[in-house]
Amino acid sequence: MKLTVIGYWGAYPEQESATSCYLLESNGFTCIVDCGSGALSRLQKYVNLMDIDAVVLSHYHNDHVADIGVLQYSWLVQNAIHQTEKVLPIYGHAEDQEKFNDLTHNYTKGMEYDPKNGLEIGPFRFKFQKTSHPAPCYAMRITNGEKTIVYTADTSYMSNLVSFSEGADLILAECSFYEHQDGGKAGHMNSKECGELARKANVPELILSHLPHFGELNQLVEEVENYYSGDVQLAKEGLTWGD
Ligand SMILES: [Zn+2]
Ligand SMILES: [Zn+2]
C-alpha cells in the first residue's frame, strides 16, 4: 500500500498547495481520502483523474471536501471528451443528508458508509471511529491486508483513538496546534497529543498533517519527539509512505 500526501494544510491552502487530500494505491486500485481545496490541481501531478477508483470522505468541512464539486465537473468533461460513461463512487457518512446528497452528480455517485460496519473497496478495508469534532467526522483505519494506516481525520484528543490505532504501521494525524495551545474546544489536536497518541498506540511511524498557518512547523516535530520515540515527519505534497 502506497500513500502519497496531496494536501496537508488545515483550513485553507497556502500558495501552490492544497488542504487535506491523500492518495492511496494498492494492487492497481486508486483511492482518494478527502478532497480539500486545491486538491484537484495538485492530484494531477500524481494520477490521471479518470483513474481514480473511489473517494472516501471523513466529514464535510470545506478543507476536506471543497474540491468535490470540481472533481465532479472533471468527470463530466472527461467522460464527454472520451465518450465514456464512467461513474466515480464517493463514500461519505449520511449524518448530514444535504451534504451527502451533494456527492451525487452526473458521473459521481454518493455511497453511504455505515461507520459500524466499515467498508470494503477494492483491496482496502476501512474501519471507522467517530471523532470529537464540531461536525460529524470519522477517523479511518485502512488496511490492504499487509499494511495498516490510521488517519485521524479532524479530532480533539480522545483516548479511544489509542485502541483504534493499536497495531497500525502508521498514524496520519491531524496536528493543528503547538504544544502550548489547546485545540480541544475547536476539535483539533496539538503536537503533544499527536505524540502521546502514537506512543500509547505503539505505532512506529507518525506523519503530522492538517498543519497550522502559524509558527515554525518544524517545531511541531520537535515537540512530538518529547513524547514519542518513533519516526515522525511533517506532511508535504508528494511525500510517500509504503510501496
Ligand atoms: Zn479540517
Ligand atoms: Zn473539520
Side-chain angles (χ1 to χ4, degrees):
M1 169 157 54
K2 181 180 174 186
L3 162 73
T4 305
V5 174
I6 304 297
Y8 54 92
W9 292 110
Y12 68 93
E14 296 198 359
Q15 291 181 38
E16 309 291 330
S17 53
T19 62
S20 297
C21 181
Y22 307 96
L23 174 61
L24 284 177
E25 295 166 287
S26 179
N27 294 341
F29 193 93
T30 300
C31 181
I32 302 296
V33 174
D34 286 347
C35 189
S37 177
L40 209 71
S41 172
R42 312 314 296 178
L43 262 172
Q44 293 171 78
K45 283 175 71 177
Y46 306 93
V47 65
N48 181 322
L49 297 176
M50 297 303 286
D51 289 340
I52 298 170
D53 295 298
V55 179
V56 184
L57 301 174
S58 62
H59 68 307
Y60 301 117
H61 277 158
N62 288 322
D63 53 335
H64 299 255
V65 298
D67 273 13
I68 288 292
V70 289
L71 174 63
Q72 291 169 331
Y73 291 164
S74 74
W75 273 59
L76 182 61
V77 170
Q78 290 296 319
N79 267 315
I81 290 171
H82 299 289
Q83 298 185 320
T84 50
E85 301 272 338
K86 289 176 74 175
V87 174
L88 174 64
I90 303 178
Y91 294 85
H93 68 68
E95 287 170 52
D96 183 331
Q97 195 64 47
E98 202 175 320
K99 296 275 172 56
F100 174 76
N101 291 344
D102 286 344
L103 304 181
T104 297
H105 192 254
N106 299 55
Y107 291 104
T108 66
K109 182 164 173 45
M111 306 281 284
E112 179 181 351
Y113 61 70
D114 178 353
K116 288 189 194 72
N117 293 334
L119 260 187
E120 283 194 32
I121 314 174
F124 299 112
R125 293 192 57 194
F126 286 71
K127 285 184 180 172
F128 298 97
Q129 163 73 55
K130 192 160 206 175
T131 71
S132 171
H133 197 58
C137 178
Y138 288 91
M140 305 174 194
R141 184 181 173 104
I142 308 160
T143 185
N144 67 344
E146 291 169 6
K147 294 288 183 183
T148 300
I149 295 173
V150 167
Y151 169 49
T152 66
D154 283 8
T155 187
S156 55
Y157 184 83
M158 312 187 301
S159 57
N160 47 2
L161 273 177
V162 173
S163 50
F164 187 68
S165 304
E166 275 170 358
D169 299 291
L170 170 72
I171 297 178
L172 176 59
E174 77 117 294
C175 186
S176 301
F177 291 100
Y178 294 83
E179 181 178 356
H180 66 280
Q181 298 172 304
D182 179 3
K185 279 207 188 75
H188 293 294
M189 287 196 289
N190 67 20
S191 54
K192 178 183 179 182
E193 291 163 330
C194 291
E196 288 188 331
L197 169 61
R199 186 188 75 240
K200 289 178 181 171
N202 200 23
V203 172
E205 289 188 65
L206 173 64
I207 294 176
L208 307 177
S209 194
H210 200 276
L211 299 174
H213 298 275
F214 44 84
E216 237 345 288
L217 294 178
N218 285 323
Q219 190 183 322
L220 296 170
V221 173
E222 290 166 19
E223 290 173 351
V224 165
E225 285 172 341
N226 290 328
Y227 301 94
Y228 172 64
S229 58
D231 185 78
V232 54
Q233 54 186 327
L234 288 177
K236 61 179 181 185
E237 184 187 317
L239 175 68
T240 61
W241 179 91
D243 50 28

